[in-house]
Every structure is written in structure tokens, then in C-alpha cells.
């Protein structure tokens, strides 16, 4: 489709105006909006993600591209068929675990998840283990994401997993952990399903977890 | 004599007077217009009593007048003492002192070269090494031990610092309760609270949630220490472009505003409470890797210039690296940051030996920095210009092709030249014969030698027992 290439280009350029205009064109010309998303905008964002991981793009550029795509989505979504969510990747509840006030890293993970089309519920910092679970149930999320930046507060991560088990909810949600002291080994020991060293990895992990949850469930 | 004395050397003037005034005015405006959230009851009550206006959403809008008052009553000079109550660290203009950082998550094991979780034994070794290194003036815990119960960690760090060295201590505690015990221990060493107030052996490093959001533990610590007349920092941190403006001036103005809140509260609690001021930490956020960087050039200069503008004792940060190993990058970053901070006039420079932006500690890095500091100290000594040092008569006497080596003048003065202990100046084959090692590898050996051979001055048995009783 001749429209897809310019859509990819506009997304990679982070050109919001053009992304929106092209979305309008998709509708006007009767092109399948889902295809436009998958072969245009999402493909563009994949290139953006790639440029970011090669350190060609900086975080603000990545966010700008994501915003441009989101604006186009707003135009396309009303035209999507029933049951098509237009590329929403999944839902995440995120927070910095109890006793810990470091929320900067968590905020960046949140921003990147949103940029990657996740719906994110942010509980802030110093979040009780129980509150993660309550919110997860309430919003029926795919992933519970917990951040800890202190060695001491990292110790609550196993508690989160154990409490989920005690409440017979372990299979219902995927648990992803991260933050400065957390290592892949620790994430394993804590019983988490996934880990990310940085925000970009967090996004990759979240995507994987959503897939396995939806595929496996 | 320890520390760097810059008496002979011009300081680096990074900001013009007008620029510093503008940043100060911006901090004042932030406090008045935006206001700060205060999560502690006693602190809020102190502010209300001082007629601070409370806005919608419980923000405290502190007036410039109150801040100026606090600045005028805060002491300009603080003296820290060692375990033997000697006044070894006078914080005053031109006097620069260096110390470790605290609480790293990981350590680079100098014996295996591997990065691993830190233990209490690592704290002990770091402090013992710091005790032996002549250019390290004060102690911080280096790492947070992961092999002890969480609640005990900060107390055991303190115990280690008291037992393994006589140098003055800057402590960090996560919670308020540990802070009480830590101070009690220091007071016991000093011979009681009264004596300790006169001759403080320890000071505290407080981190606040955000410049305009002040958490309860930090505020409780601040007021407790202020009441006791004990020195502390009170430092929020701005990550540029994330929790504050990405631009230097705005980031520093905002962070500095947060510090001024602490200054005001401390003075309201007790007029004349000693505060070590940093001038506003605005760390660089690396927009490519999504890490907080410690050694970006933007983080240096402005902060110390603001500290100097206030004339309060200045807190600094140097001898750190964003590198993963004590490699070339680490040596370069450590050198530059130590030099910037020294020339900026920071009185108490901490985080010496930090790797990986404060996540990992390296003993080799500490030892390399010890060498760098001694180099910088020599540089800052300046030179004497007089008949003896100009040596005009000697030059005339020896003529155009003079051989200076056998002269008495050379014999009398050659020892004034700085000599390295870790850096290698040998010929190529000589270097090979000596060890043929890189600085990092050579320093690994040196660190182990010191740890094997250095015995710190022992702590008197009775005091040791009491310290154990207090700190566990
Ligand atoms: C900024 C900072 C603060 C700020 C926090 C401001 C805020 N609102 O967040 C302030 C000044 C308040 C602060 C306070 C303290 N801090 Co602090 N702080 C830091 C510092 C310098 C940077 C942290 C940061 O924001 N980095 C930038 C972000 C972007 O990186 P990040 O947090 O690592 O997040 C990334 C990844 O980890 C990952 N990630 C993060 N979360 C998640 C979650 C998931 C699910 C996934 C997949 C990934 C992921 O993605 C992020 C983006 O790439 C670190 C040192 C460091 N380099 O980590 C010390 C550090 C974390 N702090 C430390 C300490 C000791 C404290 C205090 C106890 C000090 C005190 N007593 O005053 C208090 C504790 C307060 C509390 N109860 O939480 C220690 C931790 C020690 C330890 N062993 O646990 C550190 C390591 C510094 C040190 N060596 O002393 N601190």
C-alpha cells in the first residue's frame, strides 16, 4: 500500500502533524486501519526503538515519535473493527516498592511503556505490596511491575510474589521487577517472571510477558 | 597536614556575581511561588509559627525574608574532629577535604576483579584502607552490607567506621531510628553529648525526596541534628530533564531551593544550626542509556559557585566515575572531578571511589584517587617566588651551560618536587622489570598490601564494648 511508506517515515521523524494527516487519508481512502497501524505506525516505532537502542535517538525523540503515533491512533481507533484494540500492547500496574522513595527510574520505565503503547497505572512510590495486587485485580492488568532502588527494599519483591500465591492469584498476573540493586539472578530467586536492566529492556520484557500471559492463559 | 590548602592559589570563578545572584533569586522565587510539601508535623508547625503561608494542596510558601534570615544566622565555619577529639577538618574557605561515598550496592572485589554484592567485611576493609591512605580525610561507609539484617545495616556501618579508623565520620541512615543510635555512639566516643556538640566527631548526609517534597525521615533527622547542634547536609537531587529543568541554571536553582528549605527549618529549630550546603545537585540524566550520570561536565562548577556565593561550608562530589571498572575512563573522570571540585572550593568532597554512578565501590579507585589528591594538593600549594627560589645568583654563577645536578641548591630543594607512589615514571625496561603492570593492576596489589599490613589505632576496650552495646 502506497500510504504505508510515508506513515513509517512520518513516525520515524516524529512528525505529529503528518502522522495525523496520513491517518485521515487512510480513513478517507478506505484503507484498512489495522493494516495501517501494523505496517505503518508500529513498523515506524520499531525503527525508532532500534535507533534508540543504537543510541542514535535520545529519549525525548523516542517520546516525540510515540506521541505522534498516539495522535494518529486517536484518528484511527474509532474505525477499528470489533475486538481490535489497535495495537494496545497490554496493561501494567507500576510502582516503587514500600520503603523506597526513588521514583525517577520507575517514572522513566512508565514513560517508555506508554511510548510503546502500554496502558500504565502508576501507584507512585513507597507502595505496599498489597496495593500492587489490589490495583492489579481492579484493573485486570497483564503485568505487575515493581521497582526497588535500595538493597533493603528489594527484599520486598519476594513478598509480592508470595502474597500473590497466598491469594491464589499467582497465575493471573505476570510480575516484572527492576531497579539498581536487582539482578537477573535476584529476579529469579524472588520468583518474578521477568526483569529489565533499563527502561528499554523493561518494555521488551513486558511485551514478552503479555504475549505469554495471553498465549498461555 | 591533611587536606588541600588553597591559600596561595586563586579559586576558579565559575559564575559571575550577577549570575549567582540571579540563581539565588530564582531559588527564592521558586520557594515563594511554588512552595514546598512538608511531610513532617513538627517541621510544618515550625514553618507555621514563622508565619509561612500555606497554599492549596498544603504547599508551604517560604518568603525570601525568612530564607535571608536563615542564611544570615547559619554558621560560616564548621570544625569536624577525629576520634581523639582533634580538630582535623576546619571547613572554611580555601580548605578542602576528601572522603569516601556511602552505601554502594555492589563492590568490585579487588582480589577477584569481580563485581558482587557488598558485605560487612567490605565496609571494614574500605574503612581500614581509608584509615591508611594519607590523603583521605573523612569516612563514609563505602557500601551497604547485604549480609546483615536490614535494620542493622546502618548501625553496623557506623560501628565499623568507629572501630577501624580515627578519621571523622559522615554517616548516612535510611531511617530516623538508626540515626539516633549512630549519634549516641558518636557522643559516647566524644565523652558525652555536650563535648560532642563542641567537638563533633560525626556529621550526617541527608537526602531529601525532591526539592519541593520533603519526606518525614529526612525532616526528623534534620531537626534532631539541628537541635543537637550537629552538622549535616540536606540535599535533594534533581535529575535534569526528569525531575527538574534539563538546563543547568534551572536545575541548580530548583535543587538549591530544596536545600534552602532545610536551611530554614534547621535555623527555626535552633538558630546557628550547622549546615553543610551543596549549592544544588542537578545530575545529568543520560537520555541515551537512561542512567543518572555522576560525572557530566554540566554537574560541576555551578553548584560549588553557589556554595561559595553563600559563604557556607560547601559540600562537594568528586573522585567518582560512571565507568564499570577502574579503567582509563575512571581515572580521567576521577581526575577531572577532583580538580573541578577543589578549584571550585568545595570543602568536603565526598564519593571518592564511586564507580558506576554510585552503584558500585572500588578500593583500587579509592587508592588511585588518594594519589590524584596528593597530586592536586601539590598543584594547589602554589609556588614561592623569592631570591632562594629564583636562584639568580646560581644561574649567573653556572653560566649558559650550567650543570645544576651537583649544586647544593638542588640538594636543598629536590625533595620539594612531588613524586608519585602509584603512577609509573620509569624507563620502559625498568617498568617491565618492576612489574610491567597497568595502574589498575598495580593498585590492586597495593590495596592488598595495605590491608595486610595496616593496623588502625585500636579503640579502647571499654569504649568498644559500649559501642557494641549501642550499635549491635
Ligand atoms: C537520585 C537518587 C536519590 C534521590 C531519589 C529521588 C527520587 N524521587 O527518585 C534521593 C535524593 C531522594 C535519594 C534518597 C536516598 N538514597 Co538515593 N540515589 C539516587 C541516585 C543518585 C540515582 C537514582 C536514579 O534516579 N537513577 C536514575 C534512574 C533513571 O535509574 P534507575 O533508578 O536505576 O532506574 C533504571 C533501571 O534501574 C531500570 N528500572 C528502574 N525501576 C524499574 C522497574 C522495573 C520493573 C524494571 C523492569 C526496570 C526498572 O530502569 C530505569 C531506567 O533505565 C542513586 C545512585 C544510582 N546511580 O542509582 C542513589 C542511591 C540509589 N541512593 C542510595 C541511598 C542510600 C539513599 C538514601 C537512603 C540516602 C539517605 N539516607 O538520605 C535515601 C533513601 C530514601 C528512601 N527511603 O528511598 C543508595 C542506595 C544504597 C543501597 N545499597 O540500597 C544509592 C545507590 C547511592 C549510594 N551509593 O549511596 N536518592
Amino acid at each position: 500500500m502506497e500510504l504505508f511508506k510515508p506513515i513509517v517515515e512520518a513516525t520515524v521523524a516524529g512528525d505529529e502533524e503528518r502522522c495525523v494527516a496520513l491517518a485521515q487519508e487512510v480513513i478517507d481512502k478506505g484503507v484498512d486501519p489495522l493494516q495501517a497501524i501494523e505496517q505503518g505506525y508500529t513498523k515506524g516505532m520499531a525503527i525508532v526503538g532500534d535507533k534508540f537502542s543504537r543510541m542514535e535517538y535520545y529519549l525525548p525523540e523516542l517520546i516525540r515519535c510515540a506521541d505522534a503515533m498516539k495522535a494518529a491512533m486517536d484518528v484511527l481507533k474509532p474505525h477499528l473493527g470489533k475486538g481490535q484494540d489497535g495495537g494496545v500492547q497490554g496493561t501494567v500496574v507500576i510502582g516503587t516498592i514500600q520503603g523506597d522513595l526513588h521514583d525517577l527510574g520507575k517514572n522513566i520505565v512508565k514513560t517508555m511503556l506508554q511510548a510503546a503503547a502500554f496502558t500504565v497505572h502508576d501507584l507512585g512510590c513507597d507502595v505496599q505490596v498489597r496495593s500492587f495486587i489490589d490495583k492489579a485485580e481492579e484493573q485486570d492488568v497483564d503485568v505487575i511491575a515493581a521497582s526497588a532502588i535500595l538493597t533493603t527494599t528489594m527484599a520486598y519483591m519476594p513478598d509480592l510474589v508470595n502474597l500473590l500465591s497466598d491469594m491464589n492469584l499467582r497465575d493471573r498476573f505476570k510480575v516484572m521487577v527492576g531497579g539498581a540493586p536487582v539482578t537477573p539472578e535476584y529476579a529469579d530467586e524472588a520468583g518474578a517472571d521477568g526483569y529489565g536492566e533499563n527502561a528499554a529492556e523493561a518494555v521488551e520484557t513486558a511485551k514478552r510477558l503479555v504475549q505469554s500471559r495471553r498465549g498461555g492463559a | 597536614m591533611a587536606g588541600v590548602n588553597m591559600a596561595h592559589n586563586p579559586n576558579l570563578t565559575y559564575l559571575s556575581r550577577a549570575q549567582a545572584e540571579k540563581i539565588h533569586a530564582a531559588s527564592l522565587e521558586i520557594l515563594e511561588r511554588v512552595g514546598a510539601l512538608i511531610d513532617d508535623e513538627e517541621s510544618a508547625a515550625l514553618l507555621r509559627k514563622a508565619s509561612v503561608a500555606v497554599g492549596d494542596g498544603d504547599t508551604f510558601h517560604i518568603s525570601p525574608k525568612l530564607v535571608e534570615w536563615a542564611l544570615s544566622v547559619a554558621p560560616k565555619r564548621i570544625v569536624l574532629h577525629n576520634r581523639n577529639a582533634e580538630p582535623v577538618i576546619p571547613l572554611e574557605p580555601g580548605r578542602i577535604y576528601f572522603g569516601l561515598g556511602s552505601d554502594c550496592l555492589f563492590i568490585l572485589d579487588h582480589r577477584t576483579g569481580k563485581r558482587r554484592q557488598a558485605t560487612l567485611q567490605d565496609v571494614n576493609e574500605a574503612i581500614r584502607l581509608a584509615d591508611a591512605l594519607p590523603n583521605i580525610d573523612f569516612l563514609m561507609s563505602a557500601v551497604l552490607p547485604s549480609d546483615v539484617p536490614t535494620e542493622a545495616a546502618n548501625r553496623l556501618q557506623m560501628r565499623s567506621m568507629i572501630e577501624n579508623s580515627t578519621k571523622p565520620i559522615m554517616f548516612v541512615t535510611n531511617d530516623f531510628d538508626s540515626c539516633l543510635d549512630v549519634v549516641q555512639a558518636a557522643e559516647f566516643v566524644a565523652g558525652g553529648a555536650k563535648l560532642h556538640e563542641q567537638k563533633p566527631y560525626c556529621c550526617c548526609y541527608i537526602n531529601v525526596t525532591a526539592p519541593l517534597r520533603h519526606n518525614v525521615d529526612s525532616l526528623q533527622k534534620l531537626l534532631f541534628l539541628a537541635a543537637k547542634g550537629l552538622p549535616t547536609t540536606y540535599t535533594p537531587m534533581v535529575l535534569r530533564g526528569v525531575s527538574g529543568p534539563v538546563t543547568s541554571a534551572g536545575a541548580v536553582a530548583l535543587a538549591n531551593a530544596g536545600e534552602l528549605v532545610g536551611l530554614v527549618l534547621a535555623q527555626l529549630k535552633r538558630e546557628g544550626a550547622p549546615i553543610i550546603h551543596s549549592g544544588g545537585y542537578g545530575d545529568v540524566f543520560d537520555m541515551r542509556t537512561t542512567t543518572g550520570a555522576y560525572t557530566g561536565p554540566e554537574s560541576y562548577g555551578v553548584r560549588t559557585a553557589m556554595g561559595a556565593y553563600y559563604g557556607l561550608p560547601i559540600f562537594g562530589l568528586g573522585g567518582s566515575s560512571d565507568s564499570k571498572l577502574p579503567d582509563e575512563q575512571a581515572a580521567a573522570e576521577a581526575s577531572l572531578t577532583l580538580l573541578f571540585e577543589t578549584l571550585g572550593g568545595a570543602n568536603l568532597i565526598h564519593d571518592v571511589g564511586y564507580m558506576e554512578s554510585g552503584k558500585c565501590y572500588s578500593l583500587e579507585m579509592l587508592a588511585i584517587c588518594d594519589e590524584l589528591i596528593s597530586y592536586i594538593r601539590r598543584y594547589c600549594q602554589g609556588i614561592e617566588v623569592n631570591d632562594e627560589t629564583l636562584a639568580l645568583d646560581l644561574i649567573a654563577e653556572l653560566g649558559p651551560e650550567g650543570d645544576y645536578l651537583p649544586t647544593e641548591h638542588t640538594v636543598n630543594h629536590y625533595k620539594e618536587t612531588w613524586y608519585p607512589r602509584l603512577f609509573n615514571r620509569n624507563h620502559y625496561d625498568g617498568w617491565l622489570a618492576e612489574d610491567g603492570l597497568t595502574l589498575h593492576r598495580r593498585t590492586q596489589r597495593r590495596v592488598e598490601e595495605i590491608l595486610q599490613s595496616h593496623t588502625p589505632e585500636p579503640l579502647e576496650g571499654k569504649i568498644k564494648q559500649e559501642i557494641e552495646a549501642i550499635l549491635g
Side-chain angles (χ1 to χ4, degrees):
Chain A
M1 179 67 209
E2 68 196 32
L3 268 180
F4 296 165
K5 200 167 159 248
I7 288 178
V8 170
E9 281 167 8
T11 310
V12 173
D15 186 339
E16 181 168 329
E17 232 173 90
R18 208 163 146 58
C19 278
V20 170
L22 285 163
Q24 198 52 55
E25 227 180 300
V26 166
I27 305 302
D28 295 345
K29 290 190 172 158
V31 177
D32 178 8
L34 191 63
Q35 262 195 20
I37 293 170
E38 283 171 355
Q39 288 171 48
Y41 297 102
T42 309
K43 203 167 155 197
M45 274 314 287
I47 296 174
V48 170
D50 217 47
K51 282 180 180 290
F52 181 71
S53 60
R54 277 186 279 119
M55 297 199 196
E56 197 179 311
Y57 270 20
Y58 293 56
L59 190 54
E61 287 164 313
L62 181 115
I63 293 169
R64 197 180 60 182
C65 296
D67 284 348
M69 169 170 173
K70 239 179 259 157
M73 292 308 226
D74 289 343
V75 177
L76 296 176
K77 260 186 196 157
H79 302 274
L80 285 172
K82 240 189 144 137
Q84 296 178 337
D85 58 10
V88 172
Q89 293 278 357
T91 315
V92 179
V93 57
I94 195 167
T96 301
I97 214 153
Q98 60 198 63
D100 207 324
L101 302 174
H102 295 84
D103 60 0
L104 302 173
K106 182 265 297 168
N107 291 347
I108 289 155
V109 172
K110 176 178 80 172
T111 305
M112 293 266 295
L113 282 169
Q114 286 171 334
F118 280 86
T119 304
V120 185
H121 303 279
D122 183 3
L123 297 175
C125 60
D126 196 4
V127 180
Q128 300 294 316
V129 163
R130 180 62 199 249
S131 311
F132 279 98
I133 299 176
D134 290 347
K135 192 73 182 181
E137 280 199 277
E138 179 196 308
Q139 298 293 333
D140 191 23
V141 305
D142 297 291
V143 179
I144 300 177
S147 175
I149 310 295
L150 296 166
T151 323
T152 48
T153 55
M154 179 172 74
Y156 295 117
M157 286 177 166
D159 296 356
L160 173 64
V161 176
N162 293 338
L163 187 59
L164 274 173
S165 300
D166 292 349
M167 294 169 76
N168 285 322
L169 292 169
R170 186 63 194 92
D171 297 334
R172 189 156 152 213
F173 306 112
K174 296 287 175 188
V175 176
M176 168 168 90
V177 295
V182 185
T183 58
E185 297 78 36
Y186 187 84
D188 261 359
E189 273 172 45
D193 303 300
Y195 157 85
E197 184 177 37
N198 53 44
E201 265 189 47
V203 171
E204 289 317 305
T205 304
K207 282 184 185 164
R208 188 170 52 73
L209 293 180
V210 170
Q211 259 176 14
S212 86
R213 177 170 182 263
R214 296 193 173 168
Chain B
M1 190 190 58
V4 167
N5 190 343
M6 302 232 292
H8 305 294
N9 208 60
N11 290 10
L12 177 80
T13 309
Y14 195 85
L15 294 177
S16 69
R17 179 89 196 161
Q19 285 179 316
E21 273 166 5
K22 239 177 149 161
I23 292 177
H24 171 58
S27 297
L28 293 182
E29 186 170 337
I30 290 166
L31 291 180
E32 194 168 39
R33 240 170 83 184
V34 188
L37 295 165
I38 304 292
D39 294 344
D40 167 59
E41 235 349 279
E42 188 191 353
S43 305
L46 281 173
L47 290 173
R48 273 192 224 101
K49 210 174 123 205
S51 309
V52 170
V54 185
D56 299 338
D58 291 335
T59 40
F60 284 81
H61 298 259
I62 299 171
S63 71
K65 219 174 121 200
L66 190 60
V67 177
E68 298 293 1
W69 164 79
L71 282 166
S72 73
V73 296
K76 303 276 187 277
R77 184 172 185 271
I78 296 172
V79 184
L80 298 176
H81 296 67
N82 65 13
R83 206 176 70 191
N84 301 323
E86 293 158 336
V88 285
I89 299 192
L91 301 174
E92 59 190 41
R95 303 300 295 269
I96 318 290
Y97 299 91
F98 302 84
L100 286 58
S102 69
D103 295 307
C104 285
L105 312 151
F106 302 100
I107 187 150
L108 270 176
D109 189 323
H110 73 278
R111 298 188 178 100
T112 62
K114 294 234 162 64
R115 174 188 190 260
R116 57 164 171 78
Q117 283 224 319
T119 65
L120 187 58
Q121 178 62 15
D122 295 324
V123 180
N124 294 337
E125 292 197 337
I127 301 304
R128 229 156 14 93
L129 179 63
D131 189 61
L133 294 173
N135 302 292
I136 299 301
D137 304 301
F138 68 95
L139 309 172
M140 288 181 81
S141 66
V143 295
L144 188 78
S146 62
D147 58 340
V148 301
T150 298
E151 322 75 61
N154 290 146
R155 293 178 179 83
L156 293 173
Q157 287 172 324
M158 184 64 175
R159 187 179 142 193
S160 178
M161 290 191 279
I162 295 175
E163 287 181 357
N164 289 295
S165 174
T166 52
K167 295 182 181 180
I169 294 171
M170 176 174 255
F171 70 89
V172 179
T173 68
N174 191 356
D175 58 313
F176 180 49
D177 286 348
S178 313
C179 177
L180 300 179
D181 290 349
V182 160
V183 168
Q184 199 197 336
E187 287 177 344
F188 188 83
V189 172
K194 196 97 219 120
L195 281 174
H196 188 245
E197 183 184 335
Q198 288 159 9
K199 299 180 172 187
Y201 163 43
C202 70
C203 59
C204 180
Y205 171 71
I206 300 179
N207 264 160
V208 194
T209 323
L212 301 179
R213 157 135 245 159
H214 298 252
N215 60 306
V216 61
D217 281 302
S218 296
L219 291 165
Q220 284 177 329
K221 281 185 261 183
L222 176 72
L223 297 188
F224 167 72
L225 294 162
K228 285 199 163 276
L230 296 180
T232 184
T233 70
Y234 188 80
T235 27
M237 221 173 296
V238 165
L239 207 53
R240 294 172 185 221
V242 178
S243 61
V246 74
T247 40
S248 289
V252 168
L254 180 58
N256 182 51
E259 278 197 76
L260 292 175
V261 173
L263 188 80
V264 165
L265 277 166
Q267 303 312 316
L268 287 175
K269 178 74 185 178
R270 177 176 170 174
E271 207 174 301
I275 297 292
I276 306 163
H277 194 82
S278 88
Y281 272 96
D283 278 353
V284 170
F285 174 66
D286 187 295
M287 300 272 188
R288 299 189 305 185
T289 58
T290 64
T291 58
Y294 267 45
T295 60
E298 297 84 356
S299 302
Y300 294 83
V302 195
R303 176 169 39 74
T304 41
M306 285 313 293
Y309 168 78
Y310 291 126
L312 298 171
I314 308 171
F315 193 47
L317 188 161
S320 326
S321 174
D322 296 324
S323 184
K324 280 18 106 189
L325 296 171
D327 58 359
E328 294 82 351
Q329 178 187 339
E333 288 174 339
S335 311
L336 290 168
T337 56
L338 284 169
L339 190 62
F340 292 155
E341 292 290 276
T342 303
L343 295 182
N347 300 112
L348 211 54
I349 299 177
H350 84 307
D351 283 355
V352 175
Y354 260 18
M355 308 295 304
E356 244 185 84
S357 333
K359 283 179 272 198
C360 188
Y361 202 81
S362 160
L363 298 186
E364 297 106 300
M365 181 74 166
L366 179 64
I368 291 170
C369 286
D370 180 75
E371 177 103 333
L372 291 169
I373 294 165
S374 104
Y375 182 115
I376 290 171
R377 169 191 297 159
R378 176 64 189 92
Y379 171 79
C380 287
Q381 252 172 21
I383 62 160
E384 274 179 53
V385 183
N386 57 33
D387 289 351
E388 177 66 13
T389 60
L390 280 169
L392 276 181
D393 287 346
L394 182 67
I395 296 169
E397 187 192 317
L398 296 181
E401 291 181 276
D403 174 10
Y404 289 80
L405 208 46
T407 66
E408 201 175 326
H409 189 268
T410 299
V411 172
N412 285 344
H413 293 289
Y414 78 93
K415 285 230 159 139
E416 291 160 21
T417 300
W418 181 83
Y419 280 85
R421 120 145 265 165
L422 290 170
F423 296 168
N424 194 289
R425 288 171 167 175
N426 212 338
H427 299 277
Y428 186 82
D429 287 330
W431 164 70
L432 266 188
E434 256 185 89
D435 61 22
L437 295 175
T438 61
L439 174 65
H440 177 199
R441 296 300 306 276
R442 185 176 312 117
T443 309
Q444 276 177 332
R445 287 190 181 178
R446 176 83 193 122
V447 164
E448 189 54 28
E449 261 168 43
I450 294 176
L451 291 177
Q452 295 299 333
S453 62
H454 178 70
T455 316
E457 190 182 309
L459 189 60
E460 218 183 286
K462 250 181 36 213
I463 299 181
K464 196 167 166 329
Q465 268 173 16
E466 185 63 26
I467 295 305
E468 280 183 34
I470 300 170
L471 297 175

